[in-house]
Amino acid sequence: IGGKIMLKHFLAVMLLFVLGVSTYSQSIPSGTGRHTALGNSPFILDASTDIFNNPAWNNYYRNYAFADLNQFGEGNDFNGNAGVTFGVGKKWNLGMIINRRQDSWSEFGRDTLGPQNSPIVPFMGLIGTSFSKNFHFGLAPYVSMGKSEFTDTSGNFVSTNSSSSLGANLGFIYMIKKGWVEGAVKFRMNGFKNEATSTGASTTIDNDGGMEIAANFRGWIYPTKGSKVALVPVLGFYTYSFQPKGNVTSGGTSVSFTGLNYSWMRINAGVGLNWPIMDDIQIAGGVTASYNTFKSDSGSVENKGTDFIAPAFNMALETRITDWITARLGFNKSINTSKFENTAQSVTNLVSNDAASTINLGA
């Protein structure tokens, strides 16, 4: 029943978005389904995905509505998100994306001291402007907050859990002589606080850190004038860290404690081609490499893991079969060299040439 009610509410919101911009809206296929079917290729253009990652695209896809409906879990629960953009005058553009998460909040669940609830209904605003015909800029404030409270029947035990993710995305698109380049920076502050009180005692757990920073750049360059084949270089960086901490007070005595100190980092780069063979057929492919590190440290014990994924081959094909059916194919194959170290047990695991392949189909 709950899933059906959520579905009805989401469809109603989506319908309002579509009706609000239908008079002037563009009709451009995009969304999580399309992007996933094409293997999450970084060498394609996808309206809703590009807007979500770089708010400067809000200046290009004006008066545009988009939505996703997903089923998750083993029950009949539904989740979805919706977005809309609209122009204000000739240079300004506004919009919003509702219920689409863009933070690393789930990483808090790695620690037993972590939260018992997560932020809900993430909201991303969209503000864009064009400083000139060659330079477009976008800002996307982001907020997601949650809170739960529990009191037992006697009133002797009270528990309050709160959480939040706050930040913004900044992005630009700059037109060059033979194409364009884009860049976007994401900043988040993720935090939680769990408080519990009972007769004569109280416990508080929250976190230090929680800062999340990412930067991504992409180019779309035509080697020769009039060429339809675009060279697409990509470059990205990501880092995130936090440490849970707590305090217990009982009988006038206070004791402090900390959890593991977590940190992540990723660097990725690649180059590919986007080739529209005909009006109804598009091929994109390329090769990427990424280096990922993870570390959890308690002072006396350190766990460290690294992944070097290279080469990773990506191929995407999209072709229109009829006026109302478009077929999509995505293919990925990568070689992953992984290493894990644990100082407490002096364990080192190295897995090399671990090849993984994925084929996605969609229509």
Side-chain angles (χ1 to χ4, degrees), residues 99-118:
N99 208 40
R100 187 171 181 182
R101 185 170 296 286
Q102 195 189 69
D103 53 60
S104 293
W105 176 261
S106 60
E107 299 297 348
F108 277 125
R110 288 177 174 262
D111 200 292
T112 56
L113 303 179
Q116 299 176 12
N117 71 305
S118 64

Side-chain angles (χ1 to χ4, degrees), residues 124-207:
M124 178 182 287
L126 298 171
I127 305 170
T129 187
S130 298
F131 292 113
S132 68
K133 66 178 182 179
N134 292 328
F135 185 66
H136 310 283
F137 174 81
L139 168 67
Y142 179 89
V143 58
S144 181
M145 306 181 75
K147 186 176 182 180
S148 65
E149 297 180 349
F150 171 80
T151 303
D152 68 359
T153 55
S154 65
N156 294 325
F157 178 78
V158 179
S159 174
T160 302
N161 302 317
S162 59
S163 57
S164 65
S165 291
L166 305 172
N169 292 12
L170 291 172
F172 73 90
I173 302 173
Y174 184 72
M175 310 303 295
I176 59 178
K177 187 175 182 179
K178 295 181 179 179
W180 49 264
V181 293
E182 67 164 324
V185 176
K186 178 181 74 172
F187 173 79
R188 298 286 184 272
M189 282 302 302
N190 305 306
F192 71 90
K193 188 173 185 179
N194 299 337
E195 297 178 290
T197 59
S198 59
T199 304
S202 65
T203 302
T204 300
I205 301 174
D206 54 11
N207 67 286

Side-chain angles (χ1 to χ4, degrees), residues 11-33:
L11 291 177
V13 172
M14 184 176 67
L15 180 61
L16 289 175
F17 278 176
V18 173
L19 290 177
V21 298
S22 60
T23 304
Y24 305 101
S25 65
Q26 305 176 58
S27 177
I28 303 173
S30 74
T32 303

Side-chain angles (χ1 to χ4, degrees), residues 27-42:
S27 177
I28 303 173
S30 74
T32 303
R34 175 178 181 268
H35 200 246
T36 302
L38 294 174
N40 298 307
S41 173

